[in-house]
Amino acid sequence: MSVLVLGGTGFIGGPTVARLLADGVETAVAHRMSHEDARAAPAGAASVVLDRRDPAAVLAAVRDLKVDTVVDLIAYTQADTLPLLDALAGEIGRYVLVSSVDVYRNYEGLHRRGRPTPIWDRLTEDAELRASRFPYRLAKPRAASDPQAWMDDYDKIPLEAAARAKAGLEATILRLPMVFGPGDRQRRFSWAIRPMAQGRPRIVIPHPWAGWRATFGYVDDVAAGIALAAVHPRAGGETFNLGRANTPTNIAWAASFAEHLNWPGEVQLAHPDVARGALAKAVSGLDLGYPLFVDNAKIRRRLGYAEVTDFDEVLARTVADEMAR
């Protein structure tokens, strides 16, 4: 078994490569030869210099390294992914598309891109998908020179469909939750950790945010799921949700961090119209009447997946990373 990881030096990619290597899988990392990428590649992985947007270069690496499986962590748009699927068809045993829970209908309502009826049950892999496309497209397109211009054409739904339909390609699709842990650029739990670490006597949060539920996944646990799906014989042709099995509310997450930090303060709930601060501003555009928690029993049942990191260690590493910033 030989695996090529596209995007293997990033936040999720690095731990995924490390997990594959720990499991004894021959692994190669594709990158564009920046010094930062070269340092980020885990020791023991073969290093391949290429541009993922060049399908011929990826195919050449697949053939040179006799790769069985390609894990694609950076499939974002049809323009940069459909040619790659064409190139890989008939050349590899499995293509692992790392997708997102943003494909589900509730995500559309959450970001006010529509007003579908909320789904209150856990979202299974068969749950209804968004009716709208391009969830991050702006009313006025981003300039071509904008580093985030690709977001106007980002959508995992057509990529999933194309991967499933491609003849000569066995696709495995993994829908990732909100991923946190060391290296998380979105700093998903900064709103709780920072004021607690600073010893503030209270945290004031909007009450809809306090009760909102979404599935999160610690980065090393998510990486273990991706690595498992890359090599497990029963993963081929399947779609799996990833994430922690339990789905606490945000106020319950705050309680977990408070206990870990021995913070004696108080979490106060405020009406959204009077809440202040970065968190209130960040969630003001969301309709928190749409939960985003998924059912990930399928990957646990079919592949035997389980988290690899103790929850106390999850909290400790996340807190240490936030405090270091």
Side-chain angles (χ1 to χ4, degrees):
M1 174 68 70
S2 179
V3 177
L4 174 64
V5 181
L6 306 177
T9 59
F11 166 48
I12 299 172
T16 298
V17 172
R19 173 55 53 179
L20 285 164
L21 292 171
D23 291 342
V25 180
E26 185 177 343
T27 307
V29 179
H31 61 83
R32 299 179 65 181
M33 198 49 186
S34 72
H35 292 299
E36 180 180 355
D37 281 350
R39 288 195 301 268
S47 179
V48 184
V49 180
L50 59 82
D51 186 339
R52 181 199 169 278
R53 295 170 297 182
D54 182 352
V58 177
L59 179 57
V62 164
R63 289 173 172 172
D64 289 345
L65 296 168
K66 297 180 173 56
V67 166
D68 300 301
T69 298
V70 170
V71 175
D72 194 352
L73 285 137
I74 46 178
Y76 298 141
T77 71
Q78 294 179 75
D80 68 20
T81 301
L82 300 190
L84 179 62
L85 298 179
D86 289 339
L88 294 177
E91 298 284 344
I92 59 175
R94 182 175 300 170
Y95 172 78
V96 179
L97 173 66
V98 176
S99 186
S100 167
V101 297
D102 69 17
V103 300
Y104 290 117
R105 188 179 78 185
N106 273 13
Y107 196 84
E108 184 174 40
L110 175 67
H111 285 269
R112 302 182 189 275
R113 295 287 180 138
R115 298 192 64 183
T117 301
I119 300 172
W120 292 104
D121 294 332
R122 290 183 180 272
L123 300 166
T124 68
E125 289 83 356
D126 296 326
E128 190 171 343
L129 305 184
R130 283 184 279 104
S132 63
R133 295 293 181 264
F134 310 112
Y136 307 120
R137 179 173 285 180
L138 300 181
K140 181 181 179 180
R142 296 171 174 89
S145 58
D146 188 328
Q148 295 186 324
W150 60 270
M151 293 181 68
D152 283 337
D153 294 320
Y154 166 98
D155 199 331
K156 296 286 190 177
I157 293 176
L159 302 188
E160 288 189 5
R164 289 191 193 97
K166 176 57 63 178
L169 195 69
E170 180 187 69
T172 297
I173 294 165
L174 296 172
R175 292 173 179 163
L176 269 55
M178 290 184 285
V179 184
F180 70 101
D184 170 20
R185 293 182 181 179
Q186 298 190 52
R187 301 170 70 174
R188 297 186 187 276
F189 290 110
S190 177
W191 62 271
I193 297 171
R194 285 191 67 190
M196 291 178 186
Q198 292 168 355
R200 298 184 195 176
R202 67 184 59 84
I203 302 173
V204 180
I205 61 176
H207 67 75
W209 173 255
W212 189 61
R213 296 177 67 197
T215 298
F216 287 83
Y218 181 67
V219 61
D220 287 356
D221 296 333
V222 168
I226 297 171
L228 179 64
V231 301
H232 198 291
R234 297 187 67 194
E238 297 289 345
T239 298
F240 299 105
N241 289 330
L242 267 175
R244 296 192 63 80
N246 63 329
T247 311
T249 61
N250 281 324
I251 199 166
W253 274 109
S256 293
F257 284 111
E259 181 178 5
H260 176 79
L261 288 163
N262 294 315
W263 180 68
E266 177 186 8
V267 177
Q268 294 183 347
L269 308 186
H271 190 278
D273 293 342
V274 300
R276 296 288 184 269
L279 174 63
K281 182 178 180 181
V283 304
S284 62
L286 302 177
D287 185 341
L288 297 171
Y290 291 88
L292 200 61
F293 54 95
V294 302
D295 185 327
N296 46 52
K298 180 179 175 181
I299 193 169
R300 297 172 188 275
R301 181 180 62 252
R302 183 177 292 265
L303 306 189
Y305 169 76
E307 284 79 7
V308 297
T309 316
D310 179 79
F311 187 61
D312 287 337
E313 187 66 19
V314 165
L315 297 177
R317 293 179 187 175
T318 304
V319 167
D321 180 66
E322 179 62 37
M323 293 176 70
R325 304 193 198 193

